[in-house]
Amino acid sequence: MEKEKPKNFIYEIIDEDIRTNKWGGRVHTRFPPEPNGYLHIGHAKSICLNYGIARDYNGKFNLRFDDTNPEKEETEYVESIIEDVKWLGADFEDRIFYASDYFEQMYKYAVELIKKGKAYVCDLSAEEIRKTRGTLTEPGIESPYRNRTVEENLDLFERMRKGEFPTGSKTLRAKIDMASPNLNLRDPVMYRILHAEHHRQGNKWCIYPTYDWAHGLEDSIEGITHSICTLEFENHRPLYDWFLDELGIYHPQQIEFARLNLSYTVMSKRRLLQLVKDGYVDGWDDPRMPTISGLRRHGFTPESLWNFAELVGVAKRDAMTDIALLEFAIRDDLNKRARRVMAVLDPIKVVITNYEGEEELEAINNPEDSSAGTRKIKFTKELFIERADFMEEPPKGFKRLIPGGEVRLRYAYIIKCDEVVKDGNGNIVELRCSYDPDTKSGSGKSNKKVKGTIHWVSAKYAFNAEVRLYDRLFTVEDPASKENWLDYINPQSLNIIENAYIEPSLKDSKPGDIFQFERQGYFCVDSKYSTPQKLVFNRTVTLKDGWAKKKGE
RNA sequence: UGCCCCGUGGUGUAAUGGGAACACGCUUGACUCUGGAUCAAGAAUUCAAGGUUCGAAUCCUUGCGGGGCAGCCA
C-alpha cells in the first residue's frame, strides 16, 4: 500500500493532516483553470499533482472553471480544457463546476461582510485606488468612502447589482488595513462593475467577484481540503484566510508550489496567445506548442506526461526543467509501445545489379515487445536508402555505406557499393550495388560481419507521405527572460518533407497512430492534416543519436 | 528599499540532527542486423561566515544570491 516513491512536501502535509484527523480523513483537491486559454504542460503538472493526490489518498478531485472575468473567457476554452483533462486521465467523475454558478452565494456572503462592517462600497476610480494604495515602502491612504454606514453600503451594493451604475464606477472593498506591509491586505477589491456578457451567465450579472474574494469561497463551497496553487499566490494566502475566517465558514488550506518552467519554450498564456494570434504557430495545437493539445498532436502520450510530472517533482523553489527530461519521458514510453517500421526521408536510389524479381522478408515489429509479432516486407531490385547513409569520403568512424564498402540492409542482405552515378552537377543520383545472396537475414548461411546496418524501402512498393520534422520552438533556453523574445523563435522548428518514402504496411494508418521509423525517431500520424490519400507524419522526438553527438565535437 | 518565499552536482529532486542519494544530461566501455534499446563503469553537489551540538545540508544569527507583491487579471 505504501508508495516507495519519495514524498514531496505536500504529501507530508497531508500525511500529517490524516494523522491528526484534521479533515476527518478526507482528501479533496481541485484543478481550477480560468477558461481564457488552452492548457499547457505546466497545467499538466498541476493536474497530475492534484489528481494524483486524490487517487493516492482515495480522495476526490474536482474540475472547476474559475470563470470570474467575463471579458477574457470563452466557451471554446472550456471545451478544450475538458478534453485535455480527460485525455490526461484525471477523473473528476461528475464533479465539473463553475465559479459562476456560485455567484448568488458569493453575493450573500458579501452582504454578510458588509453587515459585519468588514466591507464597503467605494466610489474611487481604478486610478484613484492605485494612487491611494501606497507603495512597497509607504502605507496607503484610506478611502474617503471607507466609513459609510452599513445601511448605505447595503443599499449601494444592491444597486450595483441592479445595474444602476456604469462599468468601473464603484467597487466593493474589504475593510482590512491600508497600512499592511502585505499590499494584498490594503482594502482589496471584492467586486467590480462590469457590464459585460458572461459565457455562461449571459447578462444576469454586471458585478463580478475578483479572484481573491472568489477563490476561497469556491474551495469552501466544494469542501476542498487542500487548495493547491502556485507560488505567486503565497502573498494572497493571508487574504484567503481572512475572508474565510471573517465569514466563519469552512476553511480549506492553501498550499503553494513552484510552477513548471521548461527550457527552450514559453509557458505564459499571454505569450502562447500571442504565438497563436500573430500566426507564429499553426494554432493552439501546433505540435511545437507546449500546450496539452499541441503535445497530443505531436505524439506525446498521457503516460509520458504523467511520468514526466513524476520525474520533475514538486517543491517550492523556482526551477527550469531541462526539456531533455520531457524527451526522455516520451522516448521511454514509446520505446516500449511503438511498432518499428522503415521510412526514407531523404532518398537516394540504390539499384541491386545482381538481383532480379522480388521476395518477402520477415521483420520484427518491436524488439522490446515480442507480442507485437512480425511482418513481411518486400525486397526488390530498386530501393531507396537515406542520403545520409552514404558518403563518398567518410570521416573516421563512419559505419554506413561507402564506395567499395559493405553494409547490411536491415532484415535483408549485405550489399556492396560498386558504382556511384552522378548528374552533370556532380550530385549523386544513384548507387549501383551488388548483394551477397548468402547473407539473407536469419538464414545463417554466412557469418560475415559488417560495421553497420541501414534502413531502406522498396522503390516499387513504398508510398509517398509528408513528414514533418519538429525541433524546439526557441533557440535560447529561457526566451521569456528576453524583452524581444519573439526574435528567438527557431527558424528550423518545422521542416516539412513533402515526399518521404514509407514502407507499405503503413498505408492505412490512422491519425494518432504511432511508429518508430527505425534509426530516426518516433512519429505519429497528424490529426489535423493527414488524409487517407496523403498521410502526414509528425516527428515526436528523435532517437538518441550517438553518432551525431560524436560528429558535433 | 517594506513584506513574503526559496538557495543541495550541468538540470530537476531526496536525505527531516548521525555514512550527501535518485533521475535526466554528460564521459568511457560491453553488446547489438536500429550509431536505438539494454548492461557496466565514471566525472560532478550542500551560497558564505559565525554560532548551538559529541555531531549541521538540516537548528539559530548575519550576509550574499534568486523569485514574488503596488490589476477593478488569475
Side-chain angles (χ1 to χ4, degrees), chain A residues 45 122 269 468 509:
Chain A
K45 175 184 178 182
C122 182
K269 281 189 190 172
R468 297 181 169 215
S509 306

Side-chain angles (χ1 to χ4, degrees), chain A residues 282-345:
Chain A
D282 179 32
W284 285 98
D285 65 348
D286 185 299
R288 293 167 293 180
M289 291 283 273
T291 50
I292 294 177
S293 54
L295 290 162
R296 178 167 56 232
R297 214 182 124 199
H298 201 163
F300 284 76
T301 58
E303 291 81 0
S304 71
L305 265 23
W306 274 90
N307 190 34
F308 172 70
E310 193 68 44
L311 291 167
V312 166
V314 177
K316 291 198 71 164
R317 69 185 101 129
D318 296 301
M320 173 71 77
T321 296
D322 192 337
I323 198 159
L325 193 64
L326 214 210
E327 293 173 350
F328 164 77
I330 187 60
R331 284 193 189 105
D332 193 45
D333 189 35
L334 262 24
N335 176 47
K336 289 174 237 153
R337 62 210 293 179
R339 208 180 108 195
R340 302 305 110 137
V341 297
M342 295 200 282
V344 173
L345 272 28

Side-chain angles (χ1 to χ4, degrees), chain A residues 268-286:
Chain A
S268 81
K269 281 189 190 172
R270 191 200 104 220
R271 292 194 180 84
L272 259 15
L273 181 65
Q274 191 174 352
L275 289 172
V276 173
K277 288 269 198 284
D278 295 348
Y280 290 98
V281 295
D282 179 32
W284 285 98
D285 65 348
D286 185 299

Side-chain angles (χ1 to χ4, degrees), chain A residues 172-446:
Chain A
L172 181 73
R173 291 227 258 167
K175 190 192 280 193
I176 308 180
D177 177 11
M178 288 308 290
S180 172
N182 182 341
L183 308 220
N184 295 125
L185 264 21
R186 319 243 262 226
D187 288 11
V189 170
M190 296 163 61
Y191 276 96
R192 70 278 211 184
I193 299 173
L194 239 36
H195 290 275
E197 187 171 321
H198 186 276
H199 72 107
R200 295 190 92 234
Q201 301 293 327
N203 294 307
K204 184 176 177 192
W205 294 87
C206 63
I207 56 171
Y208 291 92
T210 57
Y211 170 86
D212 285 316
W213 165 242
H215 206 84
L217 299 181
E218 296 160 21
D219 289 337
S220 180
I221 289 166
E222 293 177 17
I224 298 302
T225 54
H226 304 270
S227 176
I228 299 166
C229 61
T230 44
L231 251 30
E232 68 271 27
F233 294 106
E234 209 155 22
N235 290 331
H236 295 244
R237 191 177 351 119
L239 185 50
Y240 181 101
D241 293 337
W242 189 89
F243 281 131
L244 263 17
D245 289 343
E246 288 296 337
L247 253 14
I249 58 178
Y250 174 79
H251 189 158
Q253 179 181 2
Q254 176 178 310
I255 302 169
E256 310 85 15
F257 74 102
R259 62 159 11 109
L260 173 73
N261 291 302
L262 245 198
S263 60
Y264 298 99
T265 189
V266 292
M267 211 73 95
S268 81
K269 281 189 190 172
R270 191 200 104 220
R271 292 194 180 84
L272 259 15
L273 181 65
Q274 191 174 352
L275 289 172
V276 173
K277 288 269 198 284
D278 295 348
Y280 290 98
V281 295
D282 179 32
W284 285 98
D285 65 348
D286 185 299
R288 293 167 293 180
M289 291 283 273
T291 50
I292 294 177
S293 54
L295 290 162
R296 178 167 56 232
R297 214 182 124 199
H298 201 163
F300 284 76
T301 58
E303 291 81 0
S304 71
L305 265 23
W306 274 90
N307 190 34
F308 172 70
E310 193 68 44
L311 291 167
V312 166
V314 177
K316 291 198 71 164
R317 69 185 101 129
D318 296 301
M320 173 71 77
T321 296
D322 192 337
I323 198 159
L325 193 64
L326 214 210
E327 293 173 350
F328 164 77
I330 187 60
R331 284 193 189 105
D332 193 45
D333 189 35
L334 262 24
N335 176 47
K336 289 174 237 153
R337 62 210 293 179
R339 208 180 108 195
R340 302 305 110 137
V341 297
M342 295 200 282
V344 173
L345 272 28
D346 182 17
I348 179 170
K349 187 186 248 186
V350 167
V351 177
I352 313 290
T353 52
N354 60 339
Y355 187 88
E356 297 301 334
E358 60 183 59
E359 66 188 298
E360 286 194 325
L361 304 166
E362 187 164 79
I364 294 165
N365 287 332
N366 186 348
E368 307 295 321
D369 175 14
S370 54
S371 73
T374 60
R375 70 185 183 288
K376 299 289 187 189
I377 49 177
K378 284 198 171 130
F379 187 75
T380 53
K381 184 183 180 75
E382 297 197 346
L383 314 168
F384 290 115
I385 66 167
E386 211 70 56
R387 191 163 281 274
D389 284 339
F390 174 80
M391 282 191 99
E392 266 192 300
E393 293 168 22
K396 190 162 159 281
F398 188 75
K399 291 170 36 176
R400 285 107 97 158
L401 195 59
I402 59 174
E406 287 186 315
V407 75
R408 172 170 290 282
L409 292 176
R410 179 79 155 152
Y411 297 124
Y413 299 92
I414 290 175
I415 59 166
K416 180 179 180 184
C417 176
D418 304 311
E419 188 187 347
V420 180
V421 183
K422 297 185 183 177
D423 64 13
N425 298 319
N427 299 313
I428 299 170
V429 294
E430 184 179 306
L431 263 22
R432 299 184 72 78
C433 303
S434 51
Y435 85 113
D436 179 346
D438 287 340
T439 58
K440 181 172 174 177
S441 184
S443 69
K445 277 162 67 180
S446 164

Side-chain angles (χ1 to χ4, degrees), chain A residues 16-165:
Chain A
E16 180 66 7
D17 289 348
I18 285 172
R19 196 184 64 75
T20 61
N21 204 35
K22 182 173 176 182
W23 310 100
R26 276 190 322 120
V27 172
H28 200 151
T29 59
R30 104 263 95 117
F31 175 61
E34 182 190 13
N36 67 343
Y38 278 60
L39 260 27
H40 54 62
I41 192 169
H43 295 111
K45 175 184 178 182
S46 176
I47 292 166
C48 292
L49 210 212
N50 279 291
Y51 177 69
I53 285 169
R55 179 200 57 206
D56 292 347
Y57 288 94
N58 291 313
K60 289 187 166 123
F61 166 77
N62 294 358
L63 172 60
R64 178 175 73 226
F65 289 96
D66 201 3
D67 55 351
T68 57
N69 184 352
E71 295 179 319
K72 293 186 174 178
E73 296 151 8
E74 296 174 22
T75 303
E76 177 198 346
Y77 297 134
V78 170
E79 287 164 358
S80 74
I81 289 168
I82 292 172
E83 183 185 5
D84 289 349
V85 174
K86 281 186 176 168
W87 179 75
L88 273 175
D91 187 7
F92 46 84
E93 301 175 82
D94 59 346
R95 289 181 306 282
I96 173 164
F97 300 124
Y98 296 84
S100 54
D101 287 342
Y102 308 146
F103 282 176
E104 190 63 48
Q105 180 64 50
M106 290 176 183
Y107 181 85
K108 287 181 181 145
Y109 281 138
V111 168
E112 269 186 52
L113 238 38
I114 292 172
K115 285 180 177 166
K116 273 187 77 178
K118 298 291 186 178
Y120 62 96
V121 173
C122 182
D123 296 2
L124 256 28
S125 68
E127 171 81 348
E128 288 164 328
I129 286 182
R130 188 177 60 75
K131 279 184 176 158
T132 53
R133 186 156 21 229
T135 68
L136 295 177
T137 51
E138 301 162 278
I141 299 162
E142 294 188 352
S143 164
Y145 306 98
R146 198 173 200 261
N147 295 312
R148 288 217 251 229
T149 64
V150 169
E151 292 67 34
E152 190 180 5
N153 281 322
L154 252 15
D155 174 59
L156 253 17
F157 187 48
E158 190 181 342
R159 289 165 58 196
M160 277 170 66
R161 176 181 181 168
K162 282 182 180 162
E164 290 186 25
F165 310 112

